[in-house]
């Protein structure tokens, strides 16, 4: 995925620092360790970018999580109902299961999208000298 270096997609998908994209923003790379799904580094170890721009910064990620969840549900619906011809009630239960199982991923992707709205590759704003 070196061809994506410097793009927001690289930072969002991999959970990398949005400024340098050299290391993960999260203390634990596995989102399914639920006690650590929201634990983030305070700053990037490479470029010193501060991730929490202000207190409660990531509450805005809740607004992003809704369309991300809709995308997961829609993809599941298309696969189950339209491609595999599973009946609508069973498809509904499969969608519920997928959303429940994908919740840690949805949370992280939402946070990654949210921080990438405010920070850009190669432009550190919160550097401390």
């Amino acid at each position: 995925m070196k061809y994506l270096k410097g793009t927001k997609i690289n930072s969002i998908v991999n959970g990398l620092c949005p400024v340098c994209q050299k290391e993960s923003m999260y203390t634990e790379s596995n989102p399914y360790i639920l006690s650590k799904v929201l634990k983030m580094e305070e700053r990037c170890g490479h470029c010193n970018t501060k991730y929490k721009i202000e207190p409660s910064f990531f509450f805005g990620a809740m607004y992003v999580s809704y369309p991300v969840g809709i995308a997961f549900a829609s993809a599941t619906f298309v696969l189950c109902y339209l491609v595999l011809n599973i009946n609508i009630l069973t498809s509904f239960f499969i969608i519920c299961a997928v959303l429940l199982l994908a919740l840690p991923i949805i949370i992280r992707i939402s946070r990654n999208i949210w921080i990438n709205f405010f920070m850009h590759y190669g432009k550190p704003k919160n550097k401390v000298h």
Side-chain angles (χ1 to χ4, degrees):
M1 299 227 331
K2 291 185 182 212
Y3 59 91
L4 291 177
K5 179 77 172 169
T7 65
K8 291 195 180 285
I9 292 173
N10 185 42
S11 177
I12 290 167
V13 170
N14 297 311
L16 300 174
C17 171
V19 175
C20 70
Q21 296 184 3
K22 301 252 184 203
E23 65 180 49
S24 176
M25 294 186 290
Y26 299 96
T27 59
E28 176 59 49
S29 62
N30 183 353
Y32 287 100
I33 298 177
L34 299 179
S35 63
K36 296 183 178 182
V37 72
L38 297 175
K39 302 272 189 215
M40 295 181 75
E41 301 289 348
E42 183 71 27
R43 294 180 176 274
C44 175
H46 184 262
C47 68
N48 205 31
T49 297
K50 185 176 179 182
Y51 297 131
K52 276 190 172 181
I53 297 172
E54 59 187 36
S56 305
F57 171 70
F58 286 104
F59 282 151
M62 290 186 301
Y63 296 106
V64 177
S65 68
Y66 183 74
V68 171
I70 293 296
F72 273 75
S74 298
T76 305
F77 174 76
V78 167
L79 180 67
C80 289
Y81 189 69
L82 300 177
V83 175
L84 300 175
N85 294 320
I86 298 173
N87 71 49
I88 193 79
L89 185 61
T90 306
S91 295
F92 170 76
F93 288 122
I94 293 171
I95 290 168
C96 291
V98 166
L99 287 176
L100 188 63
L101 293 173
L103 186 60
I105 294 169
I106 292 170
I107 290 170
R108 286 223 176 153
I109 288 174
S110 300
R111 281 181 161 224
N112 298 347
I113 291 170
W114 185 251
I115 198 167
N116 273 277
F117 279 143
F118 301 97
M119 295 184 185
H120 307 287
Y121 181 74
K123 300 176 186 174
K125 291 186 178 182
N126 298 321
K127 253 189 143 165
V128 177
H129 291 85

